[in-house]
Amino acid sequence: MASQTISMSATARVAARASLRSSRDTSRIARLPKSAARRAASSARLAVRAAGAAVDQETGIKKMREGIKEAADENLLTPRFYTTDFDEMEQLFSTEINPNLDEAELVAILQEFREDFNQKHFVRNDSFKKAADGITGESRRIFIEFLERSCTAEFSGFLLYKELGRRLKKTAPVCAEIFTLMSRDEARHAGFLNKAMSDFNLALDLGFLTKNRQYTFFKPKFIIYATYLSEKIGYWRYISIYRHLQENPNDQLYPLFQYFENWCQDENRHGDFFTACLKARPEFINDWEAKLWARFFCLSVYVTMYLNDHSRTEFYESIGLDTTQFNMHVIHQTNKTTAQIFPQVIDTYNPKFKEYLDNLRDINVKLSKAQSPMEKAPLIAGFAANLLGVALMKPVDSGSIDFVEDVNSPAFMY
Amino acid sequence: MEAATENAASSTASQKYYFCLANADFMLNDENNEHFPEVLRERRRFYRETNKDQDFWVVPNPAFLDAMPDVAKKVRQPCVAVVTTDEVWNNFVKLRLDRVYKGCVEGTAEECLAMKSPIAADAFPAPDTSKWTAPYAKYAPGWWEAFYPGNENA
């Protein structure tokens, strides 16, 4: 889950409300992982914070203890940790309950994961530490924050996939093995990033994050939409950074980016698995409600990424990218890829779309500087108006040709 | 063009070849399909590292379509097929690319991997620079030639 960008609280709130309504309708309380259940049961949010935090001399970064970075505060745009209704996930993919489930493409993607193309890929060398020592001052702080966000996002994918692999093992063995193998990939990615942080004399306490992070509940179908987009956009982000740096080696700040070509193939394959899930359960993509949710998730992901990246434009500039160009390219390509499975997508080539994004970015900057509620209120209203503007744009109908085309019609051509 | 392959030609036996057939501009040139040469290169690297004989190829304008006129007329020309003896991997190609005709043909390597004509490196117009918004250049045209039958060691 390279780009855990589905983090706007509005997204989680709306989807969670829909999830809980459905859950309540079926008179079932979702089973949460123990840590999340314990957290959910408490009426007050625990203020878990290490006492007497030290501070990194050069960058001002707070430490939980020596060598361990204090986790960034959660806010609207930070990577999320997810949990889901595991019983419903079993219902969906159990081969006993669904004897006619078409597993051909699930088996195909499972074979790709079993090959383990990247088994020998994530090996560090001496150039890492040397490069890290050369990143100083503000650039160092920005880079560490990039590593932390990326590591947290990969780690959250690891937790979710590992749990799904464990829960589905008896009833949906193909899907269970796929989730387990995807968690292998995410663990490698997270481990590689955490080792990178050690070059900056810091690391994340991933065990601490597991126990103390807020978990967002999503129904299985939303997990599939969300993680599909997260993986595909991760592919386009990483391959774009990699190819840009291959052509501009002087911008190569740190050797991590040289691994992005192989890395992003993992993300792309993960996305393919969720494509196969949606094709195996076409009720998730074949009605008007699916169209609305598909556009909603696309909107959330693209807006979140655009705002996040522009709020850290110095990072992208430090590796020679134009933040806006990079974002628009990634959005266009992710949207085209997504159009191969989601029933509707946003018309990202409509010039109004970018106007709305730029307005949202500008308002976001002002919001981050606003002090009083009176100052914030009109900005929030403007933000909502621009989001609504995107939501009301005429969408593009889309989907797999297996579902939206009559491939036997004389008019259809490959 | 001689289609016999160094590896597959070692057998004159008939066997099943699975394929995904698509319009050549879509499969080889579409900007959103720039991931596809990456998939093929990765797989080739993996096969070499694990000493497996290559069992997948890119076959432009495949000759076997002469025996399938109904299929041939369903695909915009020029066309290209990804051909493999691995049925499971063929299902993966369908999953990844979507807009492909998935099928199967039986015969010798010489028959099933024969191309009627190659796709030239300059077959597609250069990308309109005003529309190419990626922060990198397109993959070099002709990347697919490395995957023609007979080019396994290229």
Side-chain angles (χ1 to χ4, degrees), chain A residues 20-44:
Chain A
L20 289 173
R21 188 183 310 119
S22 299
S23 187
R24 202 179 299 119
D25 288 347
T26 58
S27 303
R28 192 187 323 125
I29 297 171
R31 255 193 276 136
L32 303 176
K34 284 176 187 170
S35 58
R38 199 179 304 126
R39 166 170 296 278
S42 83
S43 55

Side-chain angles (χ1 to χ4, degrees), chain A residues 33-98:
Chain A
K34 284 176 187 170
S35 58
R38 199 179 304 126
R39 166 170 296 278
S42 83
S43 55
R45 180 178 175 138
L46 294 173
V48 181
R49 190 170 294 280
V55 169
D56 179 78
Q57 290 302 317
E58 179 173 358
T59 58
I61 285 174
K62 293 179 186 174
K63 299 179 190 178
M64 182 183 292
R65 56 182 185 271
E66 191 56 35
I68 303 293
K69 184 184 188 298
E70 182 174 283
D73 285 341
E74 295 178 65
N75 64 41
L76 293 183
L77 300 175
T78 50
R80 297 252 141 191
F81 281 40
Y82 292 98
T83 184
T84 189
D85 183 337
F86 296 99
D87 290 335
E88 187 184 335
M89 195 65 96
E90 279 189 278
Q91 296 281 315
L92 290 168
F93 295 105
S94 162
T95 46
E96 274 182 24
I97 296 170
N98 310 282

Side-chain angles (χ1 to χ4, degrees), chain A residues 149-296:
Chain A
R149 273 197 317 282
S150 301
C151 182
T152 304
E154 298 279 0
F155 186 64
S156 78
F158 160 74
L159 289 176
L160 177 65
Y161 295 162
K162 184 183 178 207
E163 184 67 9
L164 281 160
R166 192 177 72 76
R167 299 287 198 109
L168 299 177
K169 194 170 183 181
K170 290 190 172 69
T171 55
V174 170
C175 287
E177 188 177 352
I178 290 170
F179 276 121
T180 298
L181 292 171
M182 291 198 305
S183 77
R184 166 202 70 193
D185 294 341
E186 304 287 346
R188 269 184 200 144
H189 302 164
F192 202 65
L193 286 156
N194 216 8
K195 284 193 176 75
M197 288 188 72
S198 72
D199 286 338
F200 295 83
N201 305 315
L202 286 170
L204 287 182
D205 185 336
L206 297 175
F208 179 89
L209 284 181
T210 304
K211 295 188 185 75
N212 294 286
R213 195 76 171 199
Q214 194 80 254
Y215 284 81
T216 299
F217 177 85
F218 266 179
K219 291 273 277 180
K221 94 176 170 182
F222 299 136
I223 288 285
I224 295 171
Y225 286 146
T227 49
Y228 169 84
L229 271 164
S230 180
E231 302 284 8
K232 288 295 180 178
I233 206 164
Y235 164 76
W236 284 108
R237 285 173 63 80
Y238 279 9
I239 193 63
S240 299
I241 290 172
Y242 173 79
R243 291 175 70 179
H244 156 72
L245 291 174
Q246 286 291 295
E247 294 173 19
N248 299 276
N250 289 339
D251 291 327
Q252 190 98 228
L253 197 62
Y254 183 66
L256 179 81
F257 301 115
Q258 290 166 22
Y259 293 69
F260 272 12
E261 183 183 33
N262 291 42
W263 186 319
C264 72
Q265 306 306 328
D266 282 343
E267 311 297 341
N268 213 350
R269 277 188 282 275
H270 292 185
D272 294 333
F273 165 59
F274 294 110
T275 301
C277 289
L278 290 169
K279 291 176 83 174
R281 301 299 321 208
E283 70 271 26
F284 285 159
I285 50 180
N286 65 4
D287 62 14
W288 68 268
E289 194 177 324
K291 291 180 178 180
L292 292 180
W293 281 118
R295 283 159 54 205
F296 174 73

Side-chain angles (χ1 to χ4, degrees), chain A residues 330-342:
Chain A
V330 167
I331 287 170
H332 288 318
Q333 297 307 320
T334 300
N335 201 56
K336 286 197 209 176
T337 298
T338 300
Q340 285 177 215
I341 186 65
F342 278 18

Side-chain angles (χ1 to χ4, degrees), chain A residues 233-389:
Chain A
I233 206 164
Y235 164 76
W236 284 108
R237 285 173 63 80
Y238 279 9
I239 193 63
S240 299
I241 290 172
Y242 173 79
R243 291 175 70 179
H244 156 72
L245 291 174
Q246 286 291 295
E247 294 173 19
N248 299 276
N250 289 339
D251 291 327
Q252 190 98 228
L253 197 62
Y254 183 66
L256 179 81
F257 301 115
Q258 290 166 22
Y259 293 69
F260 272 12
E261 183 183 33
N262 291 42
W263 186 319
C264 72
Q265 306 306 328
D266 282 343
E267 311 297 341
N268 213 350
R269 277 188 282 275
H270 292 185
D272 294 333
F273 165 59
F274 294 110
T275 301
C277 289
L278 290 169
K279 291 176 83 174
R281 301 299 321 208
E283 70 271 26
F284 285 159
I285 50 180
N286 65 4
D287 62 14
W288 68 268
E289 194 177 324
K291 291 180 178 180
L292 292 180
W293 281 118
R295 283 159 54 205
F296 174 73
F297 277 95
C298 285
L299 168 56
S300 301
V301 170
Y302 303 159
V303 170
T304 302
M305 179 180 69
Y306 203 79
L307 298 186
N308 258 330
D309 285 2
H310 281 89
S311 72
R312 297 178 181 87
T313 193
E314 302 86 2
F315 170 75
Y316 298 96
E317 287 167 1
S318 74
I319 55 173
L321 283 167
D322 176 291
T323 305
T324 300
Q325 182 202 16
F326 169 69
N327 269 258
M328 291 313 300
H329 166 68
V330 167
I331 287 170
H332 288 318
Q333 297 307 320
T334 300
N335 201 56
K336 286 197 209 176
T337 298
T338 300
Q340 285 177 215
I341 186 65
F342 278 18
Q344 267 185 354
V345 294
I346 294 170
D347 182 1
T348 62
Y349 286 104
N350 183 330
K352 282 206 162 301
F353 174 66
K354 185 172 182 298
E355 282 175 34
Y356 287 127
L357 287 181
D358 288 335
N359 292 344
L360 290 164
R361 176 200 60 204
D362 295 344
I363 293 168
N364 193 44
V365 170
K366 291 172 182 168
L367 271 168
S368 67
K369 295 171 183 171
Q371 300 294 329
S372 69
M374 274 189 56
E375 203 178 350
K376 285 184 178 178
L379 293 173
I380 289 170
F383 196 91
N386 280 279
L387 279 177
L388 188 63

